[in-house]
Amino acid sequence: MTKYIVRRLLGAIPVLFGLSIVLFAFIHLIPGDPATAILGQHATAQRIAEMREYLGLDDPLPVQYVDYLAGLLQGDFGRSFINNQPVLGEFLRRFPATVELTIAAMIFAVGVGIPLGRFAARYAQRWPDGAVTVLSLLGISIPVFVLGLTLQYIFAVQLKVLPASSRIDARLQLDLQTNFVLIDAWLHAGWTFDEKVDAFVDGVRHLVLPAIALGSIPLAIITRITRASVIEVANEDYVRTARAKGLTERRIDGRHIMRNAWLPVVTVIGLQVGGLLAGAVITETVFAWNGVGRWIVDAIGNRDYFVVQSTILIFALIFLMVNLIVDIAYAFLNPRIRYA
Amino acid sequence: MASGTVAVVRVAPRASRGLWGDAWRRLLRNRPALLGFVFIGVFVGTAVFAPLLAPHDPGALYPPPPDASSGATGPYPPRPEHLMGQDLQGRDEFTRVVYGARISLLVGLGSVIFGVIIGGFVGAIAGAAGGRADNVLMRVVDVLLAIPGILLAIGIVAWLDRGLPQITIAVAVTNAPIFARLLRGGLLAIRESDYVLAARSVGVPTRRLLLRHMLPNSLTPIIVAATLALATAIIDVAGLGFLGLGPPDPRTPEWGTMLTDSTKFLRAAPYLIFFPGLAIVISAVGFNLLGDGLRESLDPRLKK
Amino acid sequence: MRRTRFGVLLVAAGLLVGACTTGASPTPAATPAPTGAATPAPTTAPEETPKAGGTLIVALPGDISRTDSALIDDSNSSYVMNQVMEGLVGLKPGSASEVIPVLSESWTISEDALTYTFKLRTGVKFHDGTDFNADAVKFNYDRWLNIPDAYSKLEYTYYLDVALRPVVDSVTVNSPTEVAIKLTAPNSAFLTTQTLVPFFISSPAALELGKASDPDFANNTYAQGGAGAMTGTGPFKFKEWVPGDHVTLERNADYWDATHAAYLDGIVFRVFPDSTSTLNALQAGEIDFTQTLSPIDGKTVEGDATLQAIDRGGSCNLFNLSINQTHKPFDNLKIRQAVAYAVNKQSIIDTFYAGQAVVADNWMPPGFFSYKALNLPTYDPEKAKALIAESGVTDLSFDFWYPSDVARPYMPDPKGEFEAILRDLEAVGFKPNPKTATWRPDYLSAEAGGDYPLWLIGWTCDWAGPDNFLSTAFFGYRERSDNTFGPNEEFGYKNDAMWQAMDNALKTNSLDKAKEYWQQAQDFLAADMPSVPMLSSKPPAAAQLYVKGFVPNSTLTELFNTVWLADH
């Protein structure tokens, strides 16, 4: 097992390395000069030349790439051209917002999707199954921004029961320490327990709509896969045997069906995490969510080279790691699989 | 998900109408697929017959309702002359939604066709050549798949400048790796299959083998994936528009762009968001239904 | 204060000779208060008694850039720092251009207009407890004059580079309460520019503590929210800056001007990058006040009985349908005039500004010093068609550009406004080709380089004077990219007589003469139609009903020490 993990980790290196080259080449291909982005409208040619030199943009591209890579290996992700702040610092400040949203969306998708899938499987080919199928069809067919705006309209504008945007009520003046609102609520110095609870609840209220919007596609897919794999497993011989033995349905469900039906579900959950990071780009735009999603879109427009290169690289790293974790989880769930 | 459906479909010995005929009959018996056809029919019909269906000119301004107070500006709510209301400038929303179907169909279809061509080309080379070429190409595909699709598309639009052709290419490139993988996987499976080995052993040239035997048999998963990809392509195109990367001419009635321009009217004029949103959903539902139906009917082993 | 736009200010050339006033009375130098920009009424009826206490949550459209007032060039930073920092002089609350003493008590200007001698207030302490005195003033001016080159390269020193370093020669301490500032050349805009936040006085001790002049900016904590940051003399003190999120200020209990000490315990400035989410937060009661809203959201607030919309009275911006006449067909005067007749400005104001804007009849907002009604072309498509016919130009196609990803105070909906103008142009026979680009870097660098024939842009004032619009923003001759001095490449508008008039206006020492020269320049512009000025907008603020005592200002120089919160 350890050997397998090591091999997979080593296997990720060429992909990440290749990705760093592709990203570097790609972002430098896009026309537009970051020096003029910094200097603005009335910069003279001389000023632009000075700025390019200062930023190291005049070096040959391979030299720039090696410099960047050397920095990366020492944990230096470069500085943003727009505000001259280190990319890593800004990333770490924004990333928790995206992670918090992603986790909430995943909890929603898994927490609702698996029971829904099992429910549909139990009533396969009857109307509850049909209803769930229609729901999951809608889930993959509604764009995140359409669903997000719809939820905002219903719950914030019309019913006024949930906030339409941002992460927490500005009036609470929550101190950001970890940048996870739901954690910081408990860490805030000088608050009573009740105040902490209030802040936490407020954070959760702000999370609900964006999490549903972002989680809708994974929800639909997890529901489908759960349904399909439960139906498939339920027809296996050993389940029939168990039933013939007179085991209770509850026990069959827990011991025999779900244990085996989990396999494809876990795979899909892993695949969806990568999709969530991409979905966050649009969700964060709809809900004015201060995460990495919108930041990176702006950075591409601004030719903020280091921001784009580094954040996408980190995204990809997370994507690869999640896939690895999924494969390991797979092995644990299925004793028949042995990685060597 | 789609890669799980890579299937070696062999023609049954007594098939009366062949693979496609059987699939077609199964498709016609598949109620969700038929419903998908209906939705797609509405979508494509709207796109094709837009000038006949739409009562107005998508770019023109129309006067406010007679009871509007003087000096009032749009948006105006739906009424008989303007079924989906009027936007800020007084344009007819219904007409714009109808003409928007043309944009979505053209760009969506174009991007999927283009994506299948690029992806298919790469996948065919990798699958047919195998070995080192396969390895290199698939690592490139891995790299592309590791970049979140929407960011890749944004980057391509930034690179190529604004416009519908550019959006088509951007969405195509983000879809291409999926097709590459599918085709390669299918080809590899078939390469090792008995009938190819048999054909090879009697000396059928590689080129002929690839074109006459291997490709057609790897096509079914591609057809299914392409149909489903049409749904995501329509959503991705609208997503780019929503992020402000739509066509440069503001008169172009692109659904995602119409949505993003109307978010500021969420309170005052929700109908400006509802109708373009509904149009996107209907088209996407149509292709998703048909895609699922196709999958089931093209792969006889998949039973409900 | 300004959008991030880097111009060669004519002030920088040190061309303006002030009226040689000698005396203690603070007189605005060359730019009397715009009459059109009437002082709006404060939000408090006089009979109400202010109540102390409470924290005000304010929405800002963007984050501050740094915590060193000398190193900023954006309106968000200056909006926050106006509460914390003070200069020798400032703008009178509610006035766009009337200069009043703040940390000085009075000043005199020498006969040769080269030396400004300020008598300083006594008993003023910085927030770190150190004394404000002549040495502190000199320390600040000397620091600005010798700011590390690295900071200029980072482009943090726009205002220092254009309005201070070429203008100020030296600073002398005459006594602990008197300081003399010697200029390199007479410059009557000097006092006006010293009301800008970048020239506010920081505590020398805090500057030292925060390594504010360290050649390696990474070590400079003064500018990056760390040790020493933002230490001034104002009614509020800096508490913390969480970049991208908020800036917190707290009440300065020891404010030197006890009668104007703040009512509020503190202010939190929060970043709300778009108008819709700002309005969401305002309606949900999550914020008390927003510095700005889009006109459409402003209209929503007006219709909401639980909120107040705040009209800033005058305007300090101009939306400009810009032309570069080195591109065909705009080298032809009749074509430029035809464009001016083709566009329906009033309709654009009605549709996109909820009426909160005035049609422009000049290249600066109404009410400015020397402003003259120029009777510029108004909407007349027939006249436009006739002019096109007269011009003899047959190829009427050209690229027409708008920025894809911004809203500006003068241009809340670039795409929609572009479309309206596009339609007007096509209606008279032009063949514009719609184009768009990202604001930064593509749009700004291309339009500045003169690449666009016709495009949308505007100007938000640095200060309320004719020079800031006519010359700085638009048509003043300047250092060009090939290092020659000449017409602004952005517009490609060459008229030496026009420039001579502006140059004379900047150099004269008589107000009457200055007015005459500025008006000459305006007449040249009206005759040459180098661009089509569209409108001046009045971006609204909005607040909860219980927010009282706010004094709005079209230049956004708004002080929160008078603001208080009624029971709610």
Side-chain angles (χ1 to χ4, degrees):
Chain A
M1 193 71 197
T2 319
K3 225 171 136 189
Y4 169 74
I5 295 175
V6 169
R7 212 180 66 210
R8 281 287 301 268
L9 285 175
L10 290 177
I13 291 173
V15 172
L16 286 175
F17 182 71
L19 182 61
S20 73
I21 294 179
V22 168
L23 284 173
F24 183 87
F26 189 67
I27 187 83
H28 283 82
L29 265 179
I30 300 177
D33 184 356
T36 52
I38 299 169
L39 293 172
Q41 274 165 279
H42 293 178
T44 60
Q46 189 201 347
R47 206 95 168 91
I48 293 174
E50 278 175 17
M51 180 58 85
R52 289 187 59 84
E53 192 197 332
Y54 178 83
L55 297 171
L57 294 172
D58 285 336
D59 297 338
L61 282 185
V63 173
Q64 287 188 48
Y65 175 74
V66 170
D67 282 352
Y68 169 66
L69 200 63
L72 268 188
L73 294 176
Q74 295 163 28
D76 176 5
F77 287 74
R79 279 176 176 256
S80 159
F81 290 149
I82 297 302
N83 61 11
N84 197 35
Q85 297 291 321
V87 170
L88 189 61
E90 178 120 13
F91 180 82
L92 292 178
R93 214 181 54 240
R94 288 170 170 273
F95 194 51
T98 304
V99 171
E100 203 166 33
L101 176 58
T102 305
I103 292 176
M106 214 59 224
I107 291 174
F108 166 72
V110 173
V112 178
I114 290 179
L116 215 56
R118 293 174 70 175
F119 175 73
R122 179 170 306 161
Y123 297 98
Q125 309 300 340
R126 280 183 276 163
W127 71 263
D129 183 26
V132 169
T133 306
V134 168
L135 213 68
S136 75
L137 177 73
L138 280 177
I140 54 166
S141 303
I142 299 187
V144 169
F145 45 94
V146 173
L147 182 58
L149 291 168
T150 311
L151 291 171
Q152 276 185 339
Y153 181 72
I154 297 173
F155 293 99
V157 176
Q158 284 300 320
L159 301 177
K160 295 187 167 56
V161 288
L162 286 169
S165 50
S166 82
R167 293 181 69 196
I168 192 158
D169 187 342
R171 197 171 293 285
L172 291 172
Q173 296 187 52
L174 176 70
D175 279 343
L176 292 178
Q177 296 167 45
T178 64
N179 288 310
F180 289 95
V181 163
L182 298 189
I183 296 175
D184 287 338
W186 302 106
L187 298 180
H188 192 108
W191 275 1
T192 65
F193 181 74
D194 284 353
E195 285 173 319
K196 288 177 178 175
V197 171
D198 286 348
F200 180 82
V201 169
D202 188 71
V204 171
R205 279 163 43 82
H206 280 82
L207 254 176
V208 173
L209 296 185
I212 294 177
L214 181 57
S216 64
I217 293 175
L219 168 70
I221 293 172
I222 290 170
T223 306
R224 278 184 168 202
I225 295 292
T226 308
R227 174 188 172 276
S229 72
V230 167
I231 291 177
E232 192 175 331
V233 174
N235 290 328
E236 296 280 347
D237 294 342
Y238 60 85
V239 175
R240 283 187 219 155
T241 313
R243 199 164 275 139
K245 271 188 346 194
L247 291 183
T248 61
E249 279 300 315
R250 214 188 133 100
R251 210 177 145 88
I252 294 172
D253 210 37
R255 293 278 302 260
H256 297 277
I257 298 185
M258 272 325 282
R259 195 179 256 192
N260 291 291
W262 267 109
L263 285 171
V265 175
V266 167
T267 315
V268 163
I269 291 174
L271 285 175
Q272 289 307 308
V273 170
L276 280 184
L277 290 174
V281 171
I282 287 178
T283 314
E284 288 178 7
T285 305
V286 176
F287 290 94
W289 201 261
N290 208 1
V292 281
R294 189 69 220 191
W295 184 48
I296 202 170
V297 173
D298 292 340
I300 294 173
N302 291 329
R303 315 291 182 273
D304 206 342
Y305 292 167
F306 292 121
V307 174
V308 177
Q309 289 164 205
S310 301
T311 48
I312 297 186
L313 213 50
I314 298 172
F315 268 34
L317 180 68
I318 294 167
F319 181 74
L320 293 173
M321 289 305 107
V322 168
N323 278 340
L324 176 60
I325 292 167
V326 165
D327 288 349
I328 294 169
Y330 211 84
F332 274 109
L333 284 168
N334 186 352
R336 278 172 300 192
I337 296 175
R338 284 277 171 272
Y339 295 116
Chain B
M1 209 180 34
S3 59
T5 67
V6 171
V8 185
V9 182
R10 273 172 239 171
V11 180
R14 287 191 292 117
S16 50
R17 304 187 198 175
L19 165 70
W20 302 106
D22 280 349
W24 179 246
R25 271 183 302 149
R26 274 195 298 272
L27 193 63
L28 289 182
R29 282 200 302 268
N30 186 314
R31 285 225 305 258
L34 288 181
L35 191 63
F37 268 126
V38 172
F39 281 39
I40 294 169
V42 170
F43 171 52
V44 175
T46 306
V48 172
F49 301 109
L52 301 177
L53 288 169
H56 299 291
D57 175 345
L61 310 189
Y62 295 93
D67 56 341
S69 58
S70 67
T73 57
Y76 304 111
R79 60 194 160 105
E81 302 88 61
H82 300 285
L83 289 174
M84 296 181 181
Q86 287 170 275
D87 69 6
L88 172 68
Q89 301 189 61
R91 296 180 296 195
D92 180 49
E93 186 74 358
F94 177 62
T95 305
R96 291 178 61 74
V97 169
V98 165
Y99 275 90
R102 288 194 156 183
I103 309 280
S104 280
L105 180 66
L106 273 179
V107 178
L109 202 61
S111 68
V112 169
I113 291 173
F114 194 47
V116 168
I117 292 174
I118 317 173
F121 187 66
V122 172
I125 291 178
R132 173 168 289 193
D134 178 30
N135 217 336
V136 169
L137 285 172
M138 284 305 109
R139 290 297 80 73
V140 171
V141 167
D142 282 348
V143 166
L144 282 181
L145 281 176
I147 304 175
I150 188 86
L151 295 179
L152 187 62
I154 293 168
I156 293 171
V157 172
W159 177 24
L160 300 177
D161 202 0
R162 306 299 166 82
L164 294 176
Q166 288 88 338
I167 294 173
T168 311
I169 294 172
V171 175
V173 171
T174 54
N175 277 332
I178 300 166
F179 296 120
R181 269 198 175 173
L182 267 183
L183 195 67
R184 168 187 171 271
L187 287 177
L188 282 185
I190 295 166
R191 225 157 75 119
E192 304 306 322
S193 67
D194 298 343
Y195 73 93
V196 171
L197 290 178
R200 187 168 284 157
S201 66
V202 298
V204 178
T206 314
R207 211 181 114 90
R208 193 180 146 87
L209 193 63
L210 184 69
L211 290 178
R212 294 298 279 284
H213 297 273
M214 291 165 70
L215 266 181
N217 277 295
S218 343
L219 272 184
T220 46
I222 298 271
I223 290 170
V224 171
T227 311
L228 293 171
L230 269 168
T232 43
I234 288 168
I235 291 176
D236 288 348
V237 170
L240 284 175
F242 185 77
L243 290 172
L245 296 165
D249 189 336
R251 290 168 302 189
T252 312
E254 195 278 309
W255 288 337
T257 311
M258 286 163 69
L259 274 175
T260 200
D261 289 348
S262 304
T263 52
K264 51 179 173 282
F265 300 116
L266 184 65
R267 279 154 219 280
Y271 42 90
L272 293 183
I273 290 172
F274 179 76
F275 291 113
L278 187 68
I280 300 172
V281 174
I282 288 178
S283 342
V285 165
F287 287 109
N288 276 325
L289 279 173
L290 180 65
D292 286 347
L294 274 175
R295 187 189 2 237
E296 283 161 16
S297 45
L298 280 173
D299 186 348
R301 295 174 312 166
L302 253 184
K303 279 276 180 294
K304 248 201 159 176
Chain C
M1 170 155 60
R2 58 192 302 276
R3 65 195 170 85
T4 36
R5 175 165 173 142
F6 303 92
V8 177
L9 289 199
L10 289 146
V11 180
L15 301 170
L16 209 57
V17 179
C20 292
T21 44
T22 314
S25 69
T27 324
T31 51
T35 48
T39 308
T43 52
T44 314
E47 64 270 18
E48 285 182 282
T49 317
K51 186 172 141 294
T55 299
L56 188 77
I57 316 276
V58 177
L60 277 185
D63 199 6
I64 65 170
S65 52
R66 282 163 287 280
T67 51
D68 179 349
S69 50
L71 301 181
I72 62 163
D73 58 16
D74 64 289
S75 61
N76 298 312
S77 301
S78 88
Y79 201 75
V80 171
M81 289 176 185
N82 247 316
Q83 320 307 325
V84 178
M85 314 296 298
E86 293 174 318
L88 295 176
V89 290
L91 286 182
K92 185 180 171 193
S95 160
S97 59
E98 188 177 339
V99 180
I100 58 167
V102 178
L103 289 179
S104 63
E105 281 180 339
S106 61
W107 60 83
T108 57
I109 303 172
S110 65
E111 282 298 331
D112 60 3
L114 280 176
T115 305
Y116 286 64
T117 306
F118 292 90
K119 188 164 176 338
L120 305 180
R121 275 186 208 285
T122 52
V124 178
K125 282 195 188 302
F126 289 107
H127 298 147
D128 61 1
T130 57
D131 286 328
F132 165 81
N133 54 32
D135 286 329
V137 174
K138 179 172 166 58
F139 187 95
N140 274 273
Y141 277 84
D142 285 350
R143 172 174 175 253
W144 299 334
L145 292 172
N146 301 298
I147 203 83
D149 209 29
Y151 295 6
S152 301
K153 287 216 168 121
L154 288 167
E155 203 62 32
Y156 291 169
T157 56
Y158 168 77
Y159 279 102
L160 301 182
D161 290 348
V162 298
L164 193 101
R165 297 165 83 181
V167 176
V168 172
D169 179 65
S170 61
V171 176
T172 317
V173 173
N174 292 345
S175 80
T177 59
E178 192 176 287
V179 66
I181 299 176
K182 187 164 181 291
L183 307 189
T184 51
N187 182 332
S188 76
F190 176 67
L191 274 182
T192 310
T193 57
Q194 298 309 293
T195 67
L196 301 176
V197 174
F199 308 119
F200 286 3
I201 307 293
S202 292
S203 156
L207 290 170
E208 300 256 350
L209 174 71
K211 299 190 169 57
S213 296
D214 195 299
D216 182 355
F217 185 76
N219 297 329
N220 179 342
T221 61
Y222 189 85
Q224 298 185 88
M230 217 194 285
T231 307
T233 57
F236 290 94
K237 296 192 284 192
F238 172 74
K239 190 172 167 207
E240 68 164 353
W241 173 34
V242 178
D245 197 70
H246 70 270
V247 187
T248 308
L249 308 182
E250 58 188 7
R251 184 173 189 268
N252 175 11
D254 306 317
Y255 187 49
W256 57 269
D257 184 0
T259 54
H260 291 107
Y263 296 112
L264 297 167
D265 292 335
I267 312 176
V268 180
F269 292 94
R270 287 207 167 261
V271 180
F272 282 81
D274 69 287
S275 184
T276 308
S277 66
T278 312
L279 182 63
N280 286 341
L282 194 67
Q283 292 198 320
E286 295 184 355
I287 55 174
D288 299 309
F289 180 94
T290 173
Q291 184 228 46
T292 190
L293 275 181
S294 74
I296 281 164
D297 290 337
K299 202 163 102 178
T300 308
V301 169
E302 277 173 24
D304 186 333
T306 68
L307 299 172
Q308 53 177 325
I310 297 167
D311 183 353
R312 289 198 162 92
S315 172
C316 212
N317 64 44
L318 188 86
F319 176 37
N320 191 24
L321 174 55
S322 298
I323 296 172
N324 186 305
Q325 42 184 286
T326 61
H327 292 268
K328 282 191 183 295
F330 300 110
D331 52 338
N332 187 309
L333 172 63
K334 290 208 163 65
I335 292 293
R336 298 199 297 273
Q337 287 169 334
V339 172
Y341 279 110
V343 291
N344 188 344
K345 300 176 186 175
Q346 188 59 51
S347 155
I348 287 171
I349 291 175
D350 291 342
T351 305
F352 299 101
Y353 295 80
Q356 289 295 308
V358 289
V359 167
D361 190 33
N362 201 321
W363 279 263
M364 58 180 151
F368 273 45
F369 174 65
S370 81
Y371 178 93
K372 182 178 176 184
L374 295 175
N375 299 318
L376 297 178
T378 51
Y379 182 52
D380 188 346
E382 291 314 312
K383 183 107 189 198
K385 284 180 195 160
L387 279 162
I388 293 173
E390 278 173 42
S391 74
V393 175
T394 48
D395 183 3
L396 294 171
S397 61
F398 49 84
D399 287 346
F400 179 22
W401 290 80
Y402 69 98
S404 62
D405 58 341
V406 290
R408 312 298 301 173
Y410 52 79
M411 178 170 66
D413 183 358
K415 190 164 78 173
E417 294 170 62
F418 173 85
E419 187 186 336
I421 296 169
L422 190 68
R423 202 181 292 113
D424 285 344
L425 292 175
E426 286 182 347
V428 300
F430 285 114
K431 304 261 178 298
N433 177 25
K435 300 281 253 178
T436 186
T438 318
W439 180 247
R440 279 185 139 188
D442 307 337
Y443 195 79
L444 287 183
S445 57
E447 66 92 27
D451 295 345
Y452 293 167
L454 190 74
W455 75 104
L456 305 184
I457 205 152
W459 183 260
T460 300
C461 67
D462 299 322
W463 59 88
D467 54 329
N468 193 239
F469 278 87
L470 303 186
S471 174
T472 313
F474 300 126
F475 308 117
Y477 281 20
R478 61 200 67 204
E479 207 68 46
R480 293 155 58 94
S481 57
D482 56 3
N483 293 326
T484 59
F485 187 84
N488 186 356
E489 285 151 294
E490 193 178 1
F491 302 98
Y493 169 45
K494 182 172 168 18
N495 180 338
D496 293 343
M498 176 279 304
W499 167 242
Q500 192 57 56
M502 286 195 192
D503 201 24
N504 290 342
L506 289 160
K507 281 179 177 159
T508 181
N509 60 1
S510 144
L511 271 179
D512 292 340
K513 282 271 184 204
K515 185 172 174 183
E516 197 183 313
Y517 287 129
W518 280 123
Q519 294 191 338
Q520 270 181 26
Q522 291 166 44
D523 288 334
F524 279 118
L525 297 179
D528 293 340
M529 213 63 210
S531 74
V532 180
M534 297 291 294
L535 53 90
S536 292
S537 77
K538 302 192 287 177
Q544 305 289 349
L545 289 179
Y546 53 76
V547 175
K548 309 275 186 180
F550 176 72
V551 183
N553 190 322
S554 61
T555 62
L556 293 185
T557 311
E558 295 166 342
L559 304 177
F560 285 85
N561 57 336
T562 58
V563 172
W564 55 280
L565 303 175
D567 294 323
H568 60 279

